Every structure is written in C-alpha cells, then in structure tokens.
Amino acid sequence: FHEVQKARDLGKNLVIAKRRQAGFSAKFSSIIGREFSMFRGSQSIILAGEDKYAQNTMKMVLAGLNALADTEFYKRRTPDTSEYIQAKYRVNEGGNWVWRGFMSEVYCFTAKSNEQAISGKSPSIVLFEEAGRFKGLIETFKYVEPSLEANFKKTGIAYVVGTGGDMDKGAAELEE
C-alpha cells in the first residue's frame, strides 16, 4: 500500500510482478473501493485480458462496497451491475427528477479482442489485472496511457499487476 501511494504521489504508473495467491486482487479491490468512496467524480477501471479475471476483482470491489451499508461511507449506486457502477441516485426537486450523489464510477472491462476497450474514458485508476496472462498487454497499455493525462498533466495512474504465467499468454509482455 505504501508503494501504491508513493507511485500516486509521484505521478507514476506502477508495475507489480508477484507470486501467486498473494492477495493482490483483494488489495487492489480495496484501493478501487476507496477511490469510489472517497474521491468525488473518480473513474476506476478494472481491465483484464480475460473476462474471468476482471469479473473476479469487480466482485471483490462490490462485496467491499456492500459491506459499507449502514455506514456513512456507503454510496447508493445507479446503475449497480457487475460491469459498471456509479455513485448516484435520483431525487424529485420541484417536480423535476435530477441526479445527485458522488458520481464516482467503476468499470469492469475485458480487452481480449479489443485493445481500445477503454478509449474515451478519463480514469483516475486503471488496474491491469492478471497482467501475466494478459495477451496484448503492451498494445492495450499504449491505448490507455494517453487517457491518464490531460493538458500534459498526469491525471490518472495505471497499476499493472500480475504473476509470471505462460510466456505466450502475456508473461513476456509483463516482463517487458
């Protein structure tokens, strides 16, 4: 967690090569949950080369956020799906329905057949999940990197996290 914060403070992306079963999906799901709950208008993206890896982390994010029910940190969500959540709700003000809330978002994407899966987004966090099994990681990162800046200023950070796996399924790209 200290290294993650240090990278953020320095405006740097962070690559973590780690061993299996070290709990990094859970750790980063808590980081994404914090971003969603504490930073108004934030946009976090979980991105993986295979859907099962992105979905697993999104499930952890949702479980953590759901555990905040009945606390001051809980945010109502509309929509509230396994692919996308936004901290907002509708209220009737003088006969007009308007959106209120924190407006922070979490997206869950797979880039297996689409390196440009998150084009058009302005994320504060992009988590490249299971990067050691993310075929096309480098090409996808090239599309993501410009979305982490605005007016030549770093506005978002990429966390590339993975275990060395099959060399033809992404481990060589993670190493590079």
Side-chain angles (χ1 to χ4, degrees), residues 8-153:
R8 187 175 196 144
D9 292 345
L10 294 171
K12 302 285 185 182
N13 298 317
L14 182 64
V15 177
I16 300 173
K18 47 93 179 169
R19 68 176 178 82
R20 293 211 180 281
Q21 299 299 311
F24 275 80
S25 294
K27 291 170 187 167
F28 275 94
S29 70
S30 71
I31 289 168
I32 289 170
R34 174 181 177 261
E35 189 80 5
F36 180 83
S37 299
M38 301 294 175
F39 297 98
R40 184 177 295 279
S42 66
Q43 189 178 81
S44 301
I45 297 174
I46 302 164
L47 184 62
E50 296 179 46
D51 191 51
K52 65 183 177 180
Y53 299 125
Q55 283 293 323
N56 181 55
T57 302
M58 184 67 163
K59 283 180 189 174
M60 290 182 201
V61 169
L62 293 171
L65 293 173
N66 289 340
L68 296 174
D70 301 321
T71 74
E72 63 273 23
F73 302 108
Y74 183 78
K75 305 287 186 271
R76 288 186 277 174
R77 304 183 298 247
T78 305
D80 187 8
T81 70
S82 61
E83 287 83 31
Y84 175 66
I85 60 173
Q86 187 172 23
K88 67 179 182 180
Y89 55 92
R90 286 178 53 162
V91 295
N92 191 325
E93 292 182 358
N96 296 315
W97 287 97
V98 295
W99 290 108
R100 293 282 182 245
F102 223 57
M103 300 300 175
S104 50
E105 303 170 287
V106 179
Y107 289 88
C108 180
F109 285 112
T110 303
K112 185 174 187 169
S113 304
N114 181 9
E115 295 88 7
Q116 300 181 48
I118 71 163
S119 291
K121 304 289 183 238
S122 297
S124 48
I125 291 178
V126 178
L127 171 62
F128 287 83
E129 183 63 284
E130 291 294 343
R133 297 191 52 86
F134 195 143
K135 193 170 180 152
L137 173 66
I138 293 171
E139 194 63 28
T140 302
F141 186 83
K142 288 178 185 176
Y143 283 105
V144 169
E145 197 168 29
S147 68
L148 300 173
E149 291 185 5
N151 298 322
F152 305 104
K153 183 179 183 234

